[in-house]
Each structure stands twice: as structure tokens, then as C-alpha cells.
Amino acid sequence: MHKICHIAVVSASLRKRSCNRKIAQVLGELAPPLLRLEIVEISRLSPYTLERDLKPPAEWRVFRRQISAADGLLFLAPENSRAVPGALANALNIAAHSEDRNAWEGKPCAIVNVPMIAPPFSRFPPRRSRTRRLRQALSILNVPVMQTPRIINDSDDLFDVTGKPVNPATQNFLSNFMSAFENWIRNFRH
């Protein structure tokens, strides 16, 4: 019998009503029975400094414990000028220096990219690799990333007022993603 895998969900968006948070909640509802998703908050983490790390704040210690206890990771990353969002970069640093060890190390993860809808006059050319910078950072931290890119488009129109997916195709896409993610976690852990 398989054991339940606990997945730490890290949303790089700090907005309370962000599409990232809505997607995280829907993914939690669609998760297979042996996956338990828990959103870990990064909005309250103060900026990382070596001096502060000598006597880490309580919120750092809680966050580090949550990451250490997780069997896997799920990142929800909005488009942010093709860079790792600042709050997420800070969270990566905080858990990477957890009591002289890297709390992220060896934990299998997936990235769900949630692009904001760009206006037609956007200065930026089309993006080929939306999560490249985050993937690079995770690679340095020795975090294996599920290779199939998962990108959710037109994110502003995906949910109704209750936070549920508007059309069955979105629900099916998210459900299939969770099945693939469970297989990735299980195969990696064995």
C-alpha cells in the first residue's frame, strides 16, 4: 500500500485573489487520494540576509519545517518579466539555508506557469521557455523538476465567481496534470 505524499504548494503571487491561488485550491480538490496539497505562505517572509539567518525569525523556522517535511513540491509561478518573482527568490534562499542544509534538496517538483494576459502592444517577443529561470534556480538547489511544461493560458477567464473552473476542458486539463504529477512523485520516490 502506498503512503500519502505531502506536497508543499508555493505560489509566487502574493495577491490574495490571484489566479495562482485559485489554481492551487482547484488542484488540491482534484488531487488523487494519496496526494495531500498544502499551500505554504511566502508573503510573510522577511528578506533573507546572513545576519538575520544567525537568529532566524519565527516565520522562517515555520516555513523551513514545512519544506523539510514535504515529500514533493508544486510551484505556481506567474509571468514576471521572465524572471523568478522576488518573493519566490527570497523563499528559495530562506529554505536553502535551513540550519546549514538545503531544505529543498532532492524533493521532486512540478511548475505550473500562469501567464498574465499581455496587451497586444507588448514590447516583449513571444516566450519560448516561460519557467527557464525558475528551473535554473531549482537545478542549482538540486530539485528535480517534472519535465513536461504545464502552462495555463487566459488565466483571467478560467474561473467563475466561486473559484471553480468555467469549462470542463480546464477541469480535465488540471485533473490530467494532477495524475501526471502523482506518477512523477511516485516514480521519483521509488
Side-chain angles (χ1 to χ4, degrees):
M1 176 148 182
H2 293 292
K3 77 171 194 110
I4 292 174
C5 289
H6 295 277
I7 307 300
V9 180
V10 181
S11 173
S13 176
L14 302 182
R15 292 185 314 125
K16 293 285 185 205
R17 297 178 188 259
S18 75
C19 286
N20 288 277
R21 191 164 293 269
K22 290 176 187 173
I23 290 169
Q25 290 167 344
V26 171
L27 291 176
E29 293 168 9
L30 294 173
L34 294 176
L35 287 187
R36 294 286 184 272
L37 277 62
E38 177 189 2
I39 297 174
V40 293
E41 292 297 334
I42 64 172
S43 63
R44 290 180 236 120
L45 298 175
S46 57
Y48 179 82
T49 64
L50 287 173
E51 293 81 13
R52 202 173 274 143
D53 203 11
L54 295 174
K55 190 174 181 185
E59 69 270 12
W60 285 19
R61 292 191 305 273
V62 168
F63 178 70
R64 287 170 169 172
R65 280 194 300 269
Q66 289 173 310
I67 299 305
S68 292
D71 297 307
L73 308 164
L74 180 60
F75 291 93
L76 291 128
E79 282 297 311
N80 191 18
S81 304
R82 298 185 209 143
V84 177
L88 179 54
N90 185 53
L92 292 174
N93 278 327
I94 288 170
H97 297 94
S98 179
E99 299 174 1
D100 296 327
R101 67 178 189 81
N102 174 5
W104 305 106
E105 186 168 11
K107 297 190 185 295
C109 84
I111 301 169
V112 175
N113 182 246
V114 186
M116 293 182 289
I117 298 172
F121 53 84
S122 176
R123 298 178 302 159
F124 300 112
R127 298 171 178 104
R128 289 198 176 112
S129 178
R130 297 177 189 270
T131 60
R132 185 173 52 121
R133 299 272 191 248
L134 178 55
R135 286 177 180 275
Q136 287 173 336
L138 293 171
S139 173
I140 290 166
L141 295 171
N142 195 24
V143 176
V145 180
M146 189 168 116
Q147 290 304 307
T148 307
R150 298 294 177 189
I151 299 169
I152 296 176
N153 292 312
D154 300 329
S155 54
D156 286 341
D157 299 325
L158 287 178
F159 304 100
D160 63 21
V161 293
T162 67
K164 302 294 181 204
V166 171
N167 74 44
T170 301
Q171 179 117 2
N172 191 44
F173 174 83
L174 294 174
S175 184
N176 288 338
F177 167 75
M178 287 308 295
S179 293
F181 182 53
E182 180 188 38
N183 288 335
W184 162 247
I185 297 291
R186 294 261 174 242
N187 290 335
F188 187 86
R189 301 305 273 170
H190 285 70

